[in-house]
Amino acid sequence: MSKYTEDDLREELKTKEYEYGFYTYLDAETFPKGLNEDVIRAISLKKEEPEWMTEWRLDAFRKWEAMAEPEWANVHYEKPDFQNISYYSAPKKADPNKSLDDVDPELLEMYKKLGISVDEQKKLQNIAVDIVVDSVSVATTFKKTLNEKGIIFCPISEAIKEHPELVKKYMGSVVPKTDNFYAALNSAVFTDGSFCYIPKGVTCPMELSTYFRINESGTGQFERTLVIADEGSFVSYLEGCTAPSRDENQLHAAVVELIALDDAEIKYSTVQNWFPGDAKGKGGVYNFVTKRGLCEKNSKISWTQVETGSAVTWKYPSCILKGDNSVGEFYSIAVTNNYQQADTGTKMIHLGNNTKSTIISKGISAGHSHNSYRGLVKVNAKAENARNFSQCDSLLMGDLCGAHTFPYIEVKNKSAQIEHEATTSKIGEDQLFYCNQRGIDTEKAIALIVNGFSKDVLNKLPMEFAVEAQKLLEISLEGSVG
Amino acid sequence: MLKIENLHAKVEGNDILKGLNIEVKPGEVHAIMGPNGAGKSTLASVVAGNENYEVTDGKISLDGEDLEDLSPDERAHKGIFLSFQYPVEIPGVTVTNFIKTAINAKRKSQGLEDMPAAEMLKKIREKAALLEIDKTFLSRSLNEGFSGGEKKRNEIFQMAMLEPKLAILDETDSGLDIDALRIVANGVNKLKSKDNAVVVITHYQRLLDYIVPDFVHVLADGKIVKSGGKELALELEAKGYDWLK
């Protein structure tokens, strides 16, 4: 009997590989490799930063030098050589303040390939986009529309110059410089990222989105995102990432800080699709990211992530529930295939009274990959009536991959109610045969089963993103079952 | 329509079917009865193309076309439908979404576009009514937490939606109370036509009171040991299988 074998799938996969693996020849200015105080001063100078910012960076660098790379995560990789990375690379013709007509046509061609619409006339999607290529922000759309509402959405390098009072007050307030090794590194060398401020009582009229792209080889990407939702405001923020396919491992160490003031709500969604390495585990992005939000009174922060890319992922979007009645949510789908490794999860820190958190994590492992959920739910002694519900489900495909769950619970107040549920399942031959018998081929059957498994999280994504994420899941898992 | 000649098959190294012959023509209803372990479910799996079963000899053809090189999904596209004895659960995938995917997969194999949403909806409503299935059922996850009766009713609902040429009902009566049995059988009868055929695999005469067969075959030790009309089923009910050995 003819059987759609793993080999057939692999053949097919060759033609459909990592779709964003192209490299665009942009005329770029790239710093020599290496890291020291002079390099940091040079970055700061390049960005025309004020003195306080240069000092802030140098302080972070000195602290970073004394720190060691963490080893507790359930991932194994060759440590990056931090002196063998270039810390600044910028497409030469990029200037977000100029009109689109002045932009390098190669750059526009790249946006097209990435499926990003920068043409403000095409308001169909109703998404404002900031695009960061390598170290700099190259285009921000819809600025004017947003300005009318008092919303600031701009590259963080611009915010440092234009809105120093906000940046000074909030940068490093949620993720301190010394929080961890990669956060310290990022604080020293970050080159761009997005800044967003929603004024009191304003509901942001469109999705804000940042698109990150690593283009040059031998570089790392260290972006920094700061989102401030003032009292009673609402914003939904999207983030997408891709990189060219390369044999080398590229480092991506980002920091994202969210601040939700009283009665504010931030919804932060990520579709992470950095190059995962090839089928043999060569190359791929090291994705070491610190994301954290601070919730004041009656506020809410909701993280949703679909993680399909990167060779190694180390990432724990967290919420500090400081204000009474604040709410933290974490919805995650992490897919690993071939030799990918992911150690991801969240921390929910309950400090205020009547704080609530929800964690839903869906891990899908295939090939030789390893997928770990690591989560902390912490309830302080003074936090009355804290509630947490956690659900961690793992789906395994084949018998060479691994799924791991590391839930940590620290409760110091008796009124807390914590629930934790976990399941592990395998895509069964009987499920596939059942689908096949109904005329659904194996590839489509896997997509159907995986989408069903991930549904609770996919439902949390904004509509346009959900469709993209669904497709991404299918592509990421192609060739994973024979 | 379906022709099985000298079929030998094994699973996990054990010979189960040992030279089975059967022919089913359009418009006919055949019942296959027999003791436990005779090979009834194996026959159903082999015809559907389950790769855990190895065909060691013989031939299965549908409308003159040899099925040997066709995968299970290709066989389904040709019009073979198997109502499973134990339907599997697919969490998070609704009954509606599943059947939509199945129908469009078949259409794609025929070079057709996806079925328009309105047409799909109409068809779903119509077939759900036939099997007395209510709306809330259609948005539940496939077979997850379904009772035995709901699972079987859902199988026949899918059959109604897919309109197969040849439907094999594997122990569809097991786990059904009398009301559910009546609804399921009624559904099958309404779907019958001169162009399609039904093979009913069952232990008991009970289902055959509702779905009346044209032919009854007794399967024992991997072969058809006796064939007859519907009265054979009654005789088996009275005498058991031992007298045939």
Side-chain angles (χ1 to χ4, degrees), chain A residues 424-468:
Chain A
T424 303
S425 51
K426 252 187 104 160
I427 291 190
E429 271 182 38
D430 53 344
Q431 279 177 319
L432 293 176
F433 178 63
Y434 187 87
C435 294
N436 289 160
Q437 207 298 307
R438 296 300 186 253
I440 302 166
D441 65 32
T442 299
E443 206 175 324
K444 187 85 195 143
I446 290 169
L448 193 69
I449 294 166
V450 165
N451 275 322
F453 173 79
S454 314
K455 194 161 103 180
D456 298 347
V457 177
L458 287 174
N459 282 347
K460 301 290 175 187
L461 286 171
M463 200 43 177
E464 310 82 351
F465 245 35
V467 177
E468 189 184 328

Side-chain angles (χ1 to χ4, degrees), chain A residues 57-104:
Chain A
R57 289 173 178 277
L58 287 169
D59 180 47
F61 175 70
R62 286 166 199 144
K63 285 172 171 147
W64 173 74
E65 278 191 306
M67 294 169 89
E69 210 172 335
E71 298 198 338
W72 44 262
N74 186 28
V75 290
H76 307 277
Y77 60 96
E78 202 179 312
K79 299 250 155 68
D81 177 356
F82 294 99
Q83 295 303 335
N84 196 30
I85 294 171
S86 166
Y87 288 86
Y88 184 85
S89 174
K92 266 187 189 159
K93 293 184 190 164
D95 181 349
N97 297 316
K98 284 190 183 158
S99 84
L100 281 173
D101 301 335
D102 300 329
V103 174
D104 187 344

Side-chain angles (χ1 to χ4, degrees), chain A residues 376-397:
Chain A
L376 169 68
V377 176
K378 188 172 175 173
V379 178
N380 237 35
K382 286 182 185 156
E384 297 292 334
N385 300 317
R387 299 268 184 286
N388 165 265
F389 173 76
S390 303
Q391 185 184 334
C392 305
D393 298 324
S394 307
L395 186 67
L396 296 162
M397 300 167 73

Side-chain angles (χ1 to χ4, degrees), chain A residues 373-377 390 392 404-410 420-422:
Chain A
Y373 167 81
R374 188 182 302 276
L376 169 68
V377 176
S390 303
C392 305
H404 316 268
T405 307
F406 304 98
Y408 303 88
I409 298 174
E410 288 174 30
H420 182 93
E421 287 177 10

